């Protein structure tokens, strides 16, 4: 009797296990080959985005000898480096912004309700992780996923929340 109770306690299926509040998405997996005297050594790097769908998002780079280990390291790094992104109630950005990193630039524009996420693969994954549902974006310059991700996050860091702007200008929300 005690054994069957203990078995049922530990035999949870995948659906019954508690889900993490964060969604992760792999953007890019790269394979690196190092040629040494004894042959070739392979290793992998994974660029991963993690977000809660409510305005918190982070990205991370994981490197390991196997792909699953690299992805796991990338997720852990992304969770440590999360930022808060202001998102309007209709699921878009508060204003237009251009993020720049290296030779990559990403133009992000707010869009009306029903537009959807119009973006390239890397930026789309980030927008879905943030919880933005209506946005127009354009990659300018480099299409390297690392530069595109960093440029997008640079743009997010420069976004201003409308309420913060009101306070900085000395305005009351009721005036606007």
């Amino acid at each position: 009797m005690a054994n069957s109770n203990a078995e049922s306690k530990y035999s949870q299926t995948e659906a019954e296990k508690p889900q993490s509040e964060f969604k992760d998405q792999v953007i890019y997996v790269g394979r690196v080959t190092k040629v040494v005297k004894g042959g070739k050594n392979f290793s992998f790097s994974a660029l991963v985005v993690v977000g809660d769908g409510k305005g918190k998002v982070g990205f991370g780079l994981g490197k390991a000898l196997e792909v699953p280990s690299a992805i796991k390291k990338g997720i852990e790094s992304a969770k440590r480096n999360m930022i808060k992104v202001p998102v309007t109630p209709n699921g878009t950005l508060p204003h237009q912004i251009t993020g720049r990193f290296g030779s990559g630039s990403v133009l992000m524009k707010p869009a009306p309700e029903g537009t959807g996420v119009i973006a390239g693969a890397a930026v789309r994954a980030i927008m879905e992780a943030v919880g933005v549902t209506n946005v127009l974006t354009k990659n300018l310059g480099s299409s390297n996923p690392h530069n595109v991700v960093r440029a997008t996050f640079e743009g997010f860091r420069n976004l201003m929340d409308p309420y913060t702007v009101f306070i900085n200008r000395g305005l009351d929300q009721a005036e606007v």
Side-chain angles (χ1 to χ4, degrees):
M1 190 83 165
N3 283 343
S4 65
N5 190 13
E7 283 181 38
S8 65
K9 181 178 171 184
Y10 294 108
S11 63
Q12 291 180 336
T13 62
E14 290 296 320
E16 294 173 349
K17 290 183 181 177
Q19 296 289 326
S20 172
E21 71 270 11
F22 296 116
K23 297 183 293 185
D24 56 80
Q25 184 140 4
V26 178
I27 294 177
Y28 177 77
V29 176
R31 187 178 85 169
V32 179
T33 306
K34 179 180 178 185
V35 179
V36 294
K37 185 177 177 182
K40 296 178 180 178
N41 290 342
F42 295 105
S43 63
F44 298 91
S45 66
L47 183 62
V48 182
V49 172
V50 174
D52 65 353
K54 299 173 189 165
K56 284 184 76 175
V57 69
F59 76 96
L61 182 65
K63 297 180 181 181
L65 296 176
E66 297 175 356
V67 175
S69 301
I71 292 172
K72 184 178 177 185
K73 287 181 181 182
I75 291 170
E76 291 170 4
S77 174
K79 286 181 180 178
R80 284 193 302 265
N81 300 315
M82 295 192 86
I83 63 171
K84 181 78 174 136
V85 178
V87 179
T88 62
N90 66 344
T92 189
L93 301 175
H95 58 85
Q96 179 176 328
I97 192 81
T98 302
R100 292 181 181 87
F101 182 85
S103 63
S105 296
V106 177
L107 172 68
M108 297 174 274
K109 294 171 100 173
E113 189 77 31
T115 304
V117 178
I118 299 175
V123 180
R124 177 181 299 275
I126 295 168
M127 294 297 173
E128 289 172 356
V130 172
V132 174
T133 55
N134 301 302
V135 68
L136 301 168
T137 67
K138 177 69 179 163
N139 289 351
L140 306 168
S142 174
S143 60
N144 179 347
H146 295 277
N147 284 346
V148 170
V149 168
R150 289 179 184 268
T152 304
F153 273 81
E154 212 40 55
F156 284 162
R157 285 188 185 95
N158 294 330
L159 275 176
M160 289 192 212
D161 186 22
Y163 305 111
T164 308
V165 174
F166 294 150
I167 293 168
N168 289 345
R169 293 182 181 177
L171 300 174
D172 187 25
Q173 292 177 8
E175 293 176 20
V176 179

